[in-house]
Amino acid sequence: MIYVGESDETDARDFFTKNDQFKCWLSYAGKEENLYLSIYPMRESSGTERSQLIRKIISKYKPVCNEESSQNGQTTSHVSEPEPEPEPEPEPEPESD
């Protein structure tokens, strides 16, 4: 699994090539013939429910193309963990005379 996301239309011939992540997919799959699509229909679900499932899958499996995706105004499944706060530098010990 290299990417998890949400889509309305998957039957168009150019579904793969028009996706923003197509280049990332190819970089891991090698060629378009190696790309496979898996669909989990959630017709009666809310957008919140779909987003929660996407985040859960990404958290567990860490698909590489979700990590590389950028926010572009579309519904994406890019989830990043917050960066931990850096540890403060220890204060230098006062020199004794």
Side-chain angles (χ1 to χ4, degrees):
M1 179 183 335
I2 59 174
Y3 183 76
V4 176
E6 183 175 346
S7 178
D8 292 327
E9 299 288 328
T10 58
D11 56 353
R13 291 179 63 98
D14 59 358
F15 171 75
F16 283 125
T17 58
K18 286 203 171 181
N19 190 290
D20 292 340
Q21 293 299 314
F22 182 69
K23 288 181 183 179
C24 181
W25 299 349
L26 279 183
S27 71
Y28 288 93
K31 57 185 177 178
E32 189 173 351
E33 292 80 18
N34 293 337
L35 294 172
Y36 293 89
L37 176 65
S38 179
I39 299 172
Y40 182 66
M42 297 181 69
R43 290 180 187 93
E44 303 296 321
S45 63
S46 68
T48 301
E49 291 170 317
R50 292 188 301 275
S51 293
Q52 286 174 342
L53 181 59
I54 289 169
R55 284 193 302 272
K56 186 175 182 178
I57 293 169
I58 291 170
S59 176
K60 180 170 177 117
Y61 297 102
K62 303 189 183 348
V64 293
C65 292
N66 286 95
E67 297 299 319
E68 296 176 5
S69 68
S70 61
Q71 301 295 339
N72 58 11
Q74 295 180 338
T75 301
T76 66
S77 50
H78 178 77
V79 174
S80 58
E81 297 295 322
E83 290 288 324
E85 291 289 322
E87 293 291 324
E89 293 287 323
E91 301 236 355
E93 301 263 337
E95 291 185 30
S96 56
D97 292 316

